[in-house]
Amino acid sequence: MTEDGTGLLTIGELARATGLTVRTIRYWSDEGVLTPVTRSSGGYRLYDSAAVARLELIRTLRELGLGLGDVRRVLAGERTVAEVAATHVAALDAQIRSLKVTRAVLSTVARRGSTAEEMTLMNKLARLSAAERQRIVDDFVEEIFQGLDTADPWIRERTRSIGVSLPDDPTPEQVDAWVELAELLQNPDFRAAMRRMIEFNAADRTPDTPAGASAMFFKRLVELVGAAQDRGVTPQSPEADAVLTELLGADTDRTAVLRRIDLGNEVVRYRELASLIKGEQEPPRFQAEFGWVVAALKAWPGR
């Protein structure tokens, strides 16, 4: 039925034609996204038949989560549906990332049985921007390298970059790993352990020692120990003593080397967390080789 045979529809008739409620249609009309053609002699709003199709479009856009402002601009021809959809996809992506962070924080809280204060800290750490995450790492690097000008620049850069770059679409496990890593980087005991490692590195170097020499030592360690492991050599076997001599030289103070590389579980955890953040399935391979060397140095401390 139309109003007085004019072909115009009342809100009630639009509601029956579209399945929307009168209240919803009236609200959209009040917001300017569905303008009536005219009003009846009694002051009721009247709409033409095109309003039915317009309402279907409005309903679809609203169900997809678009605000009335965007709906109004689409209907006015100021923006295309494709442009609005692209913008909305970006907004949804941001919401999804935020929800993943929320899920990771809540999962960690539930697993740890965290207090309200701990939960607040974790949430803050998880939501830091990339620049804010880098500032935490830079502060850590500045403290452990302060005054040690001969320390290998390769180690400095590796320490600065390890574990800080969360992916744009991180998993809950990666967010959780970053939260734990950020807490570790601010732990005084961990900082002291890392400082000792840098001091040992700086003591072995001169201003003329080329950058990256530490990387060459690590590479040689992995190669020699990996080959020994392939031969079935255990850290306690006499052949392990010979491997250490080949790696370190005959006159090296093995006790000092042990102090240098046996830095405890926190450093191991640091590397594990960095691997998780990078999306690596397992910690770097050198971890197993370093563990072998530590065990061998304890079994064969030298003279």
Side-chain angles (χ1 to χ4, degrees):
M1 180 183 296
T2 58
E3 175 71 15
D4 299 329
T6 62
L8 300 180
L9 305 170
T10 65
I11 284 183
E13 289 167 336
L14 274 180
R16 288 191 291 274
T18 60
L20 293 164
T21 65
V22 170
R23 182 178 180 180
T24 296
I25 297 174
R26 182 178 293 114
Y27 172 68
W28 287 348
S29 185
D30 290 342
E31 291 296 317
V33 295
L34 186 70
T35 306
V37 174
T38 187
R39 288 182 179 265
S40 69
S41 57
Y44 294 102
R45 285 175 272 206
L46 299 174
Y47 303 86
D48 59 18
S49 58
V52 176
R54 190 179 181 92
L55 277 172
E56 290 294 346
L57 176 57
I58 295 169
R59 173 163 55 187
T60 299
L61 294 174
R62 292 291 287 158
E63 287 176 348
L64 290 173
L66 272 67
L68 287 176
D70 280 329
V71 172
R72 191 181 298 111
R73 284 186 282 272
V74 169
L75 295 173
E78 297 173 4
R79 299 190 71 186
T80 67
V81 172
E83 289 171 339
V84 172
T87 300
H88 199 57
V89 165
L92 285 173
D93 286 342
Q95 291 175 7
I96 290 169
R97 286 193 293 271
S98 180
L99 286 171
K100 286 185 174 182
V101 170
T102 299
R103 181 183 184 278
V105 170
L106 290 175
S107 296
T108 302
V109 168
R111 188 179 67 254
R112 295 184 182 180
S114 303
T115 65
E117 291 78 9
E118 290 169 337
M119 179 179 66
T120 299
L121 175 60
M122 282 188 285
N123 189 49
K124 179 181 178 181
L125 290 173
R127 296 184 187 281
L128 293 177
S129 68
E132 289 168 332
R133 291 196 302 271
Q134 188 63 61
R135 277 196 293 273
I136 288 177
V137 175
D138 288 347
D139 178 65
F140 166 74
V141 171
E142 178 64 25
E143 179 174 324
I144 67 173
F145 279 89
Q146 187 174 18
L148 301 177
D149 296 334
T150 59
D152 195 332
W154 175 81
I155 293 182
R156 177 187 289 269
E157 184 55 34
R158 178 178 174 83
T159 306
R160 185 178 182 276
S161 63
I162 193 168
V164 71
S165 299
L166 270 175
D168 290 336
D169 186 20
T171 65
E173 292 75 20
Q174 287 172 316
V175 173
D176 192 15
W178 161 249
V179 170
E180 186 177 341
L181 180 63
E183 292 174 333
L184 186 60
L185 291 178
Q186 297 172 82
N187 182 301
D189 292 338
F190 175 68
R191 288 190 173 207
M194 291 296 288
R195 171 73 180 187
R196 289 195 297 273
M197 183 188 75
I198 305 304
E199 288 172 343
F200 280 127
N201 176 264
D204 284 350
R205 293 170 52 83
T206 69
D208 298 327
T209 305
S214 301
M216 296 303 296
F217 172 77
F218 294 155
K219 182 175 184 293
R220 178 168 170 76
L221 182 153
V222 170
E223 290 174 348
L224 286 177
V225 175
Q229 289 176 316
D230 290 342
R231 296 195 304 272
V233 177
T234 67
Q236 293 73 31
S237 68
E239 191 176 345
D241 186 16
V243 173
L244 291 176
T245 299
E246 184 177 0
L247 174 65
L248 304 172
D251 300 324
T252 300
D253 183 349
R254 292 186 182 182
T255 301
V257 174
L258 179 60
R259 289 198 306 268
R260 177 176 175 178
I261 66 175
D262 186 21
L263 294 174
N265 293 331
E266 285 183 329
V267 175
V268 173
R269 184 57 178 162
Y270 169 65
R271 291 168 177 162
E272 290 174 346
L273 292 170
S275 298
L276 284 171
I277 294 169
K278 290 179 178 180
E280 298 173 356
Q281 294 300 313
E282 296 179 357
R285 183 171 179 264
F286 66 73
Q287 187 167 303
E289 281 78 357
F290 267 66
W292 188 97
V293 171
V294 168
L297 287 170
K298 291 177 179 178
W300 303 95
R303 299 172 180 80

